[in-house]
Amino acid sequence: EDKVVQSPLSLVVHEGDTVTLNCSYEVTNFRSLLWYKQEKKAPTFLFMLTSSGIEKKSGRLSSILDKKELFSILNITATQTGDSAVYLCAVEIQGAQKLVFGQGTRLTINP
Amino acid sequence: DAMVIQNPRYQVTQFGKPVTLSCSQTLNHNVMYWYQQKSSQAPKLLFHYYDKDFNNEADTPDNFQSRRPNTSFCFLDIRSPGLGDAAMYLCATSRDGRRRAYFGPGTRLTVT
């Protein structure tokens, strides 16, 4: 059974801190890994990763994939209260046209 | 510019009373998905359409059905909603099932 596991499930930090969110996966036929940010609405896309070792960066957010060890991390530096959200990791299954989601990490940034 | 639109945004239905949620898209994507997301849980795929081909997940209850009359529209029918069906229902689209999925804003279903 295809499985995506995120850790931690919940994280509370102070504004300005740096956080690292983890996503590990066990799937039959990996195609890509995606990170989404979900506030009180539908998920919004952050990154898509297909190759190991290539960092994707967008402002204070960055992500990298390790296809050998089957995990990805999402880093957020200099966190702001607006970063508070649930961060979802999803793996795209080759040939199945679907995403398998992890449980999400609920990130809370306190001022 | 709205790309994936879901109506209604909030739906209240009674136990056992059929309900239909709708999704439309302006992206001309050929794949449309329905996800169920319960509180504090990951979105769970119910089914998807690849063009006109319907693909049901093995653990999706028979109570849930879907229709896709054309490329732009897709409906989720819940024949006899139970209290456990209260959730956010997310519609998403993608091109050929590859690349990222675009999500609609979701419909929050309450069952009384």
Side-chain angles (χ1 to χ4, degrees), chain A residues 35-105:
Chain A
W35 284 97
Y36 287 86
K37 178 182 181 182
Q38 186 174 28
E39 297 166 274
K40 293 186 187 300
K41 49 187 178 179
T44 55
F45 173 79
L46 294 174
F47 297 112
M48 184 173 76
L49 302 150
T50 55
S51 302
S52 277
I54 298 174
E55 186 184 49
K56 292 280 182 96
K57 205 166 165 58
S58 175
R60 296 176 293 102
L61 277 67
S62 63
S63 183
I64 198 158
L65 173 67
D66 186 327
K67 287 168 76 172
K68 185 179 173 193
E69 300 297 329
L70 308 182
F71 78 91
S72 173
I73 59 171
L74 174 68
N75 274 322
I76 309 175
T77 59
T79 51
Q80 302 170 358
T81 54
D83 296 328
S84 296
V86 174
Y87 289 83
L88 293 166
C89 171
V91 170
E92 184 187 3
I93 308 298
Q94 179 108 356
Q97 300 107 29
K98 68 179 185 182
L99 297 175
V100 177
F101 280 87
Q103 327 91 297
T105 293

Side-chain angles (χ1 to χ4, degrees), chain B residues 13-60:
Chain B
T13 191
Q14 292 176 332
F15 183 96
K17 186 174 180 184
V19 66
T20 295
L21 311 181
S22 77
C23 176
S24 63
Q25 51 125 343
T26 59
L27 297 162
N28 204 31
H29 283 169
N30 59 333
V31 188
M32 293 186 79
Y33 308 82
W34 280 105
Y35 285 87
Q36 179 193 64
Q37 187 176 26
K38 296 189 178 179
S39 183
S40 302
Q41 295 183 23
K44 177 181 175 302
L45 183 64
L46 296 173
F47 25 59
H48 73 277
Y49 275 93
Y50 190 105
D51 296 320
K52 293 182 181 179
D53 293 332
F54 178 70
N55 299 272
N56 200 27
E57 292 299 298
D59 56 354
T60 298

Side-chain angles (χ1 to χ4, degrees), chain A residues 8-22:
Chain A
L9 294 181
S10 181
L11 184 59
V12 181
V13 299
H14 289 293
E15 208 168 15
D17 288 352
T18 293
V19 297
T20 298
L21 310 184
N22 303 290

